[in-house]
Amino acid sequence: MKKLIICNFKMNGSVAMINNYRNQLLNHTLLTNLQNSQLIICPPFPYLSLLQNQSNINLGAQNCSHLQEKSSTGEIDANMLQDLNCQFVIIGHNERRIKLHETSEQINEKISQALQNGLKVILCVGDIENHTENEQGINTAIDYILDQCANSLSDITDDQMQNIIIAYEPVWAIGSGMVPELSYIKKIINILKQNFPASPVCYGGSVNSNNASDILSLSDGILLGKASLDVDEMLKIIQQVENN
Ligand code: PGA
């Protein structure tokens, strides 16, 4: 299976920045023939069309609405994302869980709607506190993460799990420059893979070109925030994956 390189632009970008980014990336010879990597870019909603229908770029959104009523001002539903040729959608990112108080019920509803509309889901889960210090801490983190998965995935069938990518993102590692020990990441990824054998499992949280290769050796992919905004960083990471 190709390694997933998922780029979450968060609330960054502009028309000029994204056009420039796309041109720089696509003009690079590396992008003409990706053998080992699948690149998924998730820009903010207003810029989705700037990255639409580009070969070697899979388009993803950062969220979709849990609401079904068309009278939902300001919301964007999974059907609209499909209409824009999005193939992926990030659901349950901790920044939305924490800042916007997204609940597991809402996340579960979003997942159902995304799957019904043919989208693949990138479900983010992760422990809030740093539990890396000892075995008991790891077990606390595992319980927390499995609980998040169970709540977010209720009523999702085994078959549907093939269309769900689980992104393990320790909240304390996101944007902090801190990354857990590889042995810790490995343990959690393996537990997730045992519990959800049909789903690819990725890691996110302060991944960059210095640690991407090691993390990719343990996982099916990476979810990049800050590093994804830097074309040079992206090219370094893609190069490492392609050389493997
Ligand atoms: P980061 O963000 O790579 O900047 O830590 C990752 C994420 O939030 O998905």
Side-chain angles (χ1 to χ4, degrees):
M1 192 191 125
K2 290 188 177 188
K3 296 285 183 185
L4 302 168
I5 303 179
I6 307 167
C7 301
N8 174 11
F9 281 10
K10 309 193 180 187
M11 204 166 70
N12 292 288
S14 63
V15 172
M17 177 268 174
I18 292 179
N19 279 333
N20 190 30
Y21 181 99
R22 183 198 58 220
N23 295 341
Q24 277 192 59
L25 208 56
L26 292 181
N27 287 340
H28 198 281
T29 47
L30 248 187
L31 265 282
T32 56
N33 186 19
L34 295 179
Q35 294 291 327
N36 303 332
S37 33
Q38 182 176 13
L39 187 59
I40 302 164
I41 304 188
C42 308
F45 288 133
Y47 304 132
L48 282 168
S49 57
L50 302 177
L51 293 169
Q52 224 178 10
N53 307 329
Q54 307 290 327
S55 55
N56 286 322
I57 295 183
N58 296 273
L59 192 60
Q62 296 173 22
N63 180 40
C64 67
S65 184
H66 61 286
L67 300 172
Q68 299 200 41
E69 308 81 42
K70 288 291 168 191
S71 55
S72 299
T73 302
E75 290 295 284
I76 291 169
D77 68 16
N79 189 245
M80 293 170 178
L81 298 179
Q82 187 214 41
D83 192 32
L84 282 169
N85 293 346
C86 274
Q87 295 139 283
F88 295 85
V89 58
I90 297 174
I91 295 181
H93 193 283
N94 84 86
E95 286 156 9
R96 299 191 59 84
R97 290 184 195 254
I98 294 172
K99 294 181 194 170
L100 297 163
H101 311 292
E102 253 183 25
T103 64
S104 295
E105 292 72 33
Q106 289 169 347
I107 290 167
N108 181 244
E109 189 53 48
K110 288 175 191 214
I111 293 174
S112 306
Q113 306 242 359
L115 293 175
Q116 273 167 39
N117 282 283
L119 299 169
K120 288 195 159 88
V121 170
I122 300 159
L123 170 65
C124 299
V125 293
D127 33 333
I128 296 183
E129 281 163 37
N130 185 336
H131 287 296
T132 52
E133 68 294 341
N134 56 38
E135 196 66 29
Q136 198 195 334
I138 297 183
N139 291 336
T140 308
I142 290 169
D143 287 348
Y144 184 84
I145 294 160
L146 290 180
D147 212 42
Q148 267 186 329
C149 290
N151 293 333
S152 309
L153 294 168
S154 73
D155 297 331
I156 302 296
T157 64
D158 287 351
D159 254 14
Q160 287 176 313
M161 286 307 295
Q162 288 173 27
N163 292 320
I164 297 186
I165 297 158
I166 299 179
Y168 165 54
E169 298 205 293
V171 174
W172 53 272
I174 294 178
S176 65
M178 293 191 294
V179 177
E181 296 282 328
L182 288 177
S183 57
Y184 181 88
I185 298 178
K186 187 173 176 186
K187 205 163 206 164
I188 300 214
I189 300 251
N190 287 347
I191 298 263
L192 285 167
K193 284 178 100 49
Q194 275 162 26
N195 280 272
F196 304 103
S199 298
V201 181
C202 300
Y203 169 84
S206 295
V207 182
N208 56 42
S209 60
N210 294 323
N211 55 26
S213 281
D214 283 345
I215 293 170
L216 281 164
S217 70
L218 313 169
S219 63
D220 297 315
I222 43 178
L223 177 46
L224 303 158
K226 187 161 172 249
S228 73
L229 297 166
D230 180 337
V231 179
D232 292 334
E233 270 290 279
M234 285 298 297
L235 290 169
K236 278 192 209 160
I237 292 170
I238 297 168
Q239 180 88 65
Q240 290 170 15
V241 183
E242 290 301 310
N243 285 348
N244 264 331

